Amino acid sequence: MGKVIIMRQKLGSIEAGGTKFILAAADEAYRVSAKKRIPTEDPTTTLAGCIAFFKENPVDAIGLGSFGPIGIKPGAADYGHILATPKPGWAGTDMVGTLKAALHVPVYFTTDVNASVYGEYIAGSAKDVDSAVYFTIGTGIGGGVIQDGHFIGGYSHLEMGHAPVMLHPDDHYKGFCPFHGNRCFEGVAAGPTIEGRTGIPGEKLNRDHPVFDFINYYAAQMAFSAFVNYAPEKIIFGGSVVDDDNIIKVREIFDQLNHNYVQIPDDLIVHSHFADNASATVGDFALAALLLK
Amino acid sequence: MGKVIIMRQKLGSIEAGGTKFILAAADEAYRVSAKKRIPTEDPTTTLAGCIAFFKENPVDAIGLGSFGPIGIKPGAADYGHILATPKPGWAGTDMVGTLKAALHVPVYFTTDVNASVYGEYIAGSAKDVDSAVYFTIGTGIGGGVIQDGHFIGGYSHLEMGHAPVMLHPDDHYKGFCPFHGNRCFEGVAAGPTIEGRTGIPGEKLNRDHPVFDFINYYAAQMAFSAFVNYAPEKIIFGGSVVDDDNIIKVREIFDQLNHNYVQIPDDLIVHSHFADNASATVGDFALAALLLK
């Protein structure tokens, strides 16, 4: 009688951010066996750091959630590339091609926020529902949306942070989005807008500082827009700007914006399930696993 | 040797609107064999009119695109029902149950705008792409979204007309949405807002009247929000308010709102392919056909 051979698959995660890349390897249950953080330098140096990590910690597939804009349409000429980012040196970088050529494993390429919403969907705040929106409010604002296991997005990935915003009547900040000024959510609610309004970095301010009235209002408006635009069962906030105290106020303002118009599921608006915004790492592992099925 | 039997399927369409129901029967190529318009009276009278039509013009399945809000989650207790509409007598009406009990055919139940986007996707302005958004601007504002053959919507259907709006700086109209005043698209851009601002019904005004500067601005903003929120390949306007001349201005304002941020596919913003907003009828037929596969 032959032995039963159990395939143990090793999964890789790359969280490709504008200031750091977080690299991790895990087993098929997402138990992390190795983790490393490297600074985002020029593409050649940074991708060499990724390759060295996965040569030392071999995996069978990699999930790569990246800062954008990126080419995510399979078959398109720019698939797997970083597109027109203002980040010096990175525009046009062939992320997937470079990693595949060196590591000879499949790579699931998507946005950082898609990786996060997938992590929440598989094992986090959305694990018991079929549809969810994930927002991150940090140095920028982004969002990923999943419905029945599929990401929303057609021609390209979403750019939810740049949706037009209804200004708070008392908010006279000029906005910091280089494209839209104060006419998009990123321009009035991303982390740097706190220092832009107060002169003090957000992490040095108490959460009851009045500037958070604006941030909470815009976060609630993002949530309400997401609810009428996707009708999801969960709206999840990650990133450093919205903490657990903010969530309570965001829910209150959401109800004011709704004004009893749409019926709301229980516990619609929640915080990321994972500490340190680790939803993207879990999502990357789970997306890598999809490539091995 | 037996004969080959070709099944000829007859398809039914019900466009259930707030002022009229449009009933139609067609063959499997959507060629209409009978069509009738009945006024929207009380539910019993109106549904009896539907049943009489399909007794006279028998079909094998019906696609029903309805005004809302409606219960569209299969398996839920309110599936197939009209929900909390302000329309007298209609809240709680079991549309699907009533039709099925009398006609003994399957009914595909969805929103009017989902039926429209499906019609455009199968045979209209979006027939060559995989993703599309359909907006109707009429007495209200609604939107339906399709991606790879699936409607966007999880907990319930979308309510895109009630998304928060960035006001035009010169627009001081108080808005007419009973829930949101001037704080949603419907409140500032639906047909009745034209008479609300000018005292003259929209259909009596020339398209170069300044009030259309506001309407075009909001239509363009709806399109831009839809682009960053869904990244569709087509954004289609139906309804009576946005005509072909408006589309040109809507595209110009869209480009101003985008400010070269996102790359735009060719011919992104278009008018409904069908005359008289018949996209919903085609969509209903095609959705009915899905039930017979």
Side-chain angles (χ1 to χ4, degrees):
Chain A
M1 227 172 106
K3 288 182 185 170
V4 176
I5 297 176
I6 298 172
M7 289 290 291
R8 297 209 180 270
Q9 293 173 335
K10 297 288 279 177
L11 306 170
S13 166
I14 302 177
E15 278 180 69
T19 58
K20 61 182 185 291
F21 275 43
I22 301 174
L23 315 172
D27 66 12
E28 69 278 9
Y30 314 151
R31 284 175 296 229
V32 174
S33 54
K35 192 163 186 174
K36 189 174 185 179
R37 175 183 295 227
I38 62 175
T40 307
E41 299 180 81
D42 64 279
T44 307
T45 307
T46 310
L47 289 173
C50 297
I51 290 163
F53 176 84
F54 288 111
K55 294 255 185 196
E56 202 171 312
N57 304 282
V59 294
D60 299 298
I62 294 172
L64 166 50
S66 179
F67 72 94
I70 60 175
I72 58 164
K73 194 143 188 156
D78 62 10
Y79 175 77
H81 290 63
I82 304 276
L83 304 183
T85 175
K87 197 161 175 59
W90 282 86
T93 300
D94 182 2
M95 304 281 275
V96 171
T98 305
L99 292 166
K100 276 181 151 175
L103 296 167
H104 310 291
V105 296
V107 176
Y108 194 112
F109 189 54
T110 193
T111 61
D112 43 11
V113 280
N114 274 356
S116 290
V117 77
Y118 203 72
E120 299 286 350
Y121 179 76
I122 291 292
S125 295
K127 74 177 193 300
D128 298 323
V129 298
D130 298 318
S131 53
V133 175
Y134 178 95
F135 285 115
T136 180
I137 306 184
T139 51
I141 292 182
V145 188
I146 197 160
Q147 181 181 314
D148 300 324
H150 298 279
F151 295 123
I152 306 299
Y155 176 75
S156 64
H157 55 77
L158 310 185
E159 292 282 358
M160 296 172 73
H162 295 276
V165 63
M166 179 170 77
L167 284 181
H168 188 293
D170 302 327
D171 185 11
H172 306 296
Y173 176 55
K174 67 184 191 314
F176 96 114
C177 174
F179 294 93
H180 309 119
N182 67 349
R183 289 175 292 107
C184 74
F185 286 105
E186 185 163 304
V188 295
T193 69
I194 299 175
E195 184 166 358
R197 289 184 178 91
T198 64
I200 305 165
E203 61 272 21
K204 296 195 176 164
L205 284 176
N206 210 308
R207 291 280 159 167
D208 57 9
H209 189 285
V211 72
F212 283 100
D213 291 349
F214 297 135
I215 304 296
N216 293 337
Y217 175 78
Y218 296 125
Q221 188 184 143
M222 284 163 56
F224 183 63
S225 284
F227 193 74
V228 295
N229 284 328
Y230 307 107
E233 289 152 287
K234 289 287 172 192
I235 297 171
I236 303 161
F237 281 95
S240 56
V241 172
V242 173
D243 74 1
D244 285 343
D245 288 344
N246 294 93
I247 289 285
I248 294 167
K249 289 181 182 146
V250 165
R251 286 178 181 154
E252 288 171 9
I253 302 167
F254 180 102
D255 287 341
Q256 292 162 20
L257 289 169
N258 182 33
H259 211 267
N260 293 318
Y261 180 66
V262 282
Q263 196 194 333
I264 304 300
D266 294 337
D267 299 322
L268 173 67
I269 301 172
V270 295
H271 205 269
S272 170
H273 175 76
F274 300 95
D276 302 325
N277 298 301
S279 50
T281 303
V282 173
D284 287 337
F285 289 145
L287 291 167
L290 288 182
L291 300 174
L292 299 172
K293 275 183 181 157
Chain B
M1 226 172 106
K3 287 185 187 170
V4 176
I5 297 176
I6 297 172
M7 289 290 289
R8 298 209 181 268
Q9 293 173 335
K10 296 288 279 177
L11 306 171
S13 166
I14 302 177
E15 278 180 68
T19 58
K20 60 182 185 293
F21 276 43
I22 300 174
L23 316 171
D27 67 11
E28 69 278 9
Y30 314 151
R31 283 175 296 227
V32 174
S33 54
K35 192 163 185 173
K36 189 175 185 181
R37 174 183 296 227
I38 62 175
T40 307
E41 300 180 79
D42 64 280
T44 308
T45 307
T46 311
L47 288 172
C50 296
I51 290 162
F53 176 84
F54 288 111
K55 294 254 187 200
E56 202 171 313
N57 303 282
V59 295
D60 299 298
I62 293 172
L64 165 50
S66 179
F67 72 95
I70 60 175
I72 58 164
K73 193 143 188 156
D78 62 10
Y79 175 77
H81 290 62
I82 303 275
L83 304 182
T85 175
K87 197 162 175 59
W90 281 85
T93 300
D94 182 2
M95 304 281 276
V96 171
T98 305
L99 292 166
K100 276 181 150 176
L103 296 167
H104 311 289
V105 296
V107 176
Y108 194 112
F109 189 53
T110 193
T111 61
D112 42 12
V113 280
N114 274 356
S116 290
V117 77
Y118 204 73
E120 299 286 351
Y121 179 74
I122 291 293
S125 295
K127 74 176 193 302
D128 297 323
V129 298
D130 298 318
S131 53
V133 175
Y134 177 94
F135 285 115
T136 179
I137 307 184
T139 52
I141 292 182
V145 188
I146 197 159
Q147 181 181 314
D148 299 324
H150 299 278
F151 295 124
I152 305 300
Y155 176 75
S156 64
H157 55 76
L158 310 186
E159 291 282 359
M160 295 172 74
H162 295 275
V165 63
M166 179 171 77
L167 285 180
H168 187 292
D170 302 327
D171 185 11
H172 307 296
Y173 176 56
K174 68 185 190 314
F176 95 115
C177 175
F179 295 93
H180 309 119
N182 67 350
R183 290 175 290 105
C184 73
F185 286 105
E186 185 162 304
V188 295
T193 69
I194 298 174
E195 183 166 0
R197 289 186 179 92
T198 64
I200 305 165
E203 61 272 20
K204 297 193 177 165
L205 284 177
N206 210 307
R207 292 279 159 168
D208 57 9
H209 189 284
V211 73
F212 283 101
D213 291 349
F214 297 135
I215 304 297
N216 294 337
Y217 175 78
Y218 296 125
Q221 188 184 145
M222 285 163 57
F224 184 63
S225 284
F227 193 75
V228 295
N229 285 328
Y230 307 107
E233 288 151 288
K234 289 286 173 194
I235 296 172
I236 301 161
F237 281 94
S240 57
V241 172
V242 173
D243 74 0
D244 286 342
D245 288 343
N246 294 94
I247 290 284
I248 295 167
K249 288 181 182 145
V250 165
R251 286 178 180 157
E252 288 171 6
I253 302 167
F254 180 102
D255 287 341
Q256 291 162 19
L257 289 168
N258 180 34
H259 210 268
N260 292 317
Y261 180 66
V262 281
Q263 196 194 334
I264 305 300
D266 293 338
D267 299 322
L268 172 68
I269 301 172
V270 295
H271 206 270
S272 170
H273 176 76
F274 300 95
D276 302 324
N277 299 301
S279 49
T281 303
V282 173
D284 287 337
F285 290 145
L287 291 167
L290 287 183
L291 300 174
L292 299 172
K293 276 184 181 159

